[in-house]
Amino acid sequence: MDDKKMSPAEKRYRERFRMIEMNQEIRLLSGAMFGRNQDIRPMILTEKGKVSKPKIKKLTAQLMSLAEESRINLRVGGFTEEEKALLEAMILMAILLPGVSYGFPSEESNKKPAFSDPVSYDAVLDLLRDPSELAMDANLAAEHLNLPVPKLQTEILPGKDNLTIAEQDKDMDEYYEDEELYDRWAEEYVRAGLEAIPEEHLDSIAQQLGDEMLALEEGYEKIFPMKQEFAEALSCFCEMADRIPANTGTVFEMAVNLYLMRHDMSPLSDRDTFWRVHAECETARRRVNRKAWERRGQRA
């Protein structure tokens, strides 16, 4: 489609889409180079595949130590004791949450033990980079575990852009640009919701949903590891989430990369591999720059 024929909402969405997609590709490339695409389970499970509290606590402490080292390397200084408690809580939650799969009670995923499926270091890092996503996942877990923890307001936390949010924003932009269309859509949405369920079935459907939610919570509680430690970490997070130090996402990424390199789990731990990857990245950068300048010349 010709850019001149696009609506302003469509233009904004396409620009945003390209940035999100390219940032995701860069993150995947970075994850492969540093080894963050590897499975974290060997470092936190026993030989029989059970969650090991000592191993998880050890990994949490190691990542916290490396995070402080990384922050000092950035010449920002170390963390206060309060900040350490907050970041340790975030690390523990980010390790536990990706390892627990859950679904409706009829689904097999609700019966899987914790960490039945691979969990990459990048999956953990994604939650540490995005406190709002970490808060949403933690809130959901707390609901299913019936934890007496105040629900954290995700609006106060910094978050990352993603395609789902971008598409929702684009749709709303288009509706707002056409006030009549928006009013009609809102009216039809409400009417469709009311007409979809016959009134005589409302009570039975409500009962069914309640039974399913109860079964979901019971199944989730059985498979969730370290519930007490998770509850304590979430309480700390809720209390101090508005005091997350600046540049924490960068610091956590540096910490995970250092952890993998120092445990010889990163391709870059090997000198020859490092120089080969470095050369390939430099070649790719020059190719992109050359194409960009060629397009500029054609437009001139």
Side-chain angles (χ1 to χ4, degrees):
M1 180 186 292
D2 188 346
D3 286 353
K4 294 181 180 179
K5 297 180 180 178
M6 291 182 192
S7 67
E10 180 68 26
K11 288 181 180 178
R12 288 193 296 271
Y13 171 74
R14 291 204 176 197
E15 292 170 347
R16 192 169 167 186
F17 170 83
R18 290 167 185 163
M19 288 190 289
I20 293 170
E21 282 289 288
M22 188 52 63
N23 283 329
Q24 177 63 20
E25 289 300 317
I26 292 171
R27 282 196 295 270
L28 291 174
L29 178 61
S30 173
M33 289 191 300
F34 282 99
R36 296 196 307 268
N37 55 352
Q38 294 182 75
D39 190 358
I40 199 174
R41 292 181 300 174
M43 306 305 290
I44 60 175
L45 302 183
T46 65
E47 292 182 357
K48 295 183 179 180
K50 302 294 184 181
V51 172
S52 169
K53 289 186 181 181
K55 284 189 172 184
I56 289 181
K57 289 182 178 180
K58 179 180 179 181
L59 176 59
T60 299
Q62 288 176 324
L63 290 178
M64 183 64 243
S65 176
L66 291 171
E68 184 161 36
E69 178 183 331
S70 299
R71 196 166 192 258
I72 292 172
N73 288 341
L74 293 175
R75 299 185 179 181
V76 182
F79 295 111
T80 66
E81 292 303 314
E82 183 181 71
E83 289 171 338
K84 287 181 183 178
L86 170 59
L87 298 183
E88 284 178 355
M90 292 174 64
I91 292 170
L92 179 63
M93 291 193 299
I95 291 173
L96 293 176
L97 288 169
V100 185
S101 60
Y102 55 89
F104 290 105
S106 59
E107 296 180 357
E108 288 299 316
S109 62
N110 196 42
K111 303 174 185 177
K112 286 183 178 181
F115 294 94
S116 295
D117 298 321
V119 174
S120 69
Y121 288 87
D122 256 334
V124 174
L125 182 57
D126 282 346
L127 291 177
L128 293 174
R129 282 197 191 105
D130 188 354
S132 64
E133 186 70 23
L134 178 62
M136 285 189 287
D137 285 4
N139 281 338
L140 183 60
E143 288 178 8
H144 292 322
L145 294 172
N146 292 310
L147 296 179
V149 177
K151 192 173 181 64
L152 187 62
Q153 297 300 314
T154 58
E155 292 78 7
I156 68 172
L157 300 171
K160 67 181 179 184
D161 202 4
N162 62 60
L163 289 178
T164 301
I165 294 175
E167 289 170 357
Q168 291 173 347
D169 288 347
K170 171 178 171 286
D171 290 342
M172 295 309 297
D173 277 349
E174 290 176 342
Y175 284 124
Y176 283 129
E177 286 172 0
D178 188 331
E179 187 174 347
E180 182 180 346
L181 176 63
Y182 177 77
D183 290 341
R184 188 167 66 250
W185 169 82
E187 182 180 342
E188 291 175 355
Y189 181 82
V190 173
R191 185 173 63 251
L194 294 174
E195 294 176 351
I197 304 175
E199 186 174 354
E200 62 271 18
H201 294 164
L202 287 176
D203 290 341
S204 62
I205 290 175
Q207 181 64 45
Q208 179 184 350
L209 291 174
D211 293 342
E212 288 181 349
M213 183 57 66
L214 179 61
L216 172 61
E217 291 174 352
E218 290 174 350
Y220 193 66
E221 188 164 359
K222 288 179 181 178
I223 64 176
F224 199 94
M226 300 177 65
K227 290 186 283 290
Q228 181 61 36
E229 291 84 352
F230 174 79
E232 292 171 359
L234 181 54
S235 294
C236 177
F237 186 40
C238 290
E239 182 181 346
M240 298 191 293
D242 59 339
R243 285 165 271 173
I244 296 174
N247 301 321
T248 298
T250 300
V251 167
F252 277 136
E253 182 173 339
M254 292 174 66
V256 173
N257 290 342
L258 281 174
Y259 177 84
L260 291 166
M261 293 179 71
R262 291 181 182 177
H263 286 79
D264 292 325
M265 292 188 288
S266 168
L268 302 188
S269 301
D270 176 72
R271 185 184 64 177
D272 293 339
T273 304
F274 166 75
W275 287 116
R276 185 171 65 252
V277 171
H278 188 283
E280 290 172 351
C281 288
E282 180 64 17
T283 300
R285 185 186 65 82
R286 291 181 179 180
R287 186 179 298 119
V288 170
N289 280 344
R290 184 170 64 250
K291 291 293 182 182
W293 281 109
E294 287 175 358
R295 285 195 296 274
R296 291 176 190 173
Q298 292 170 0
R299 292 174 183 171

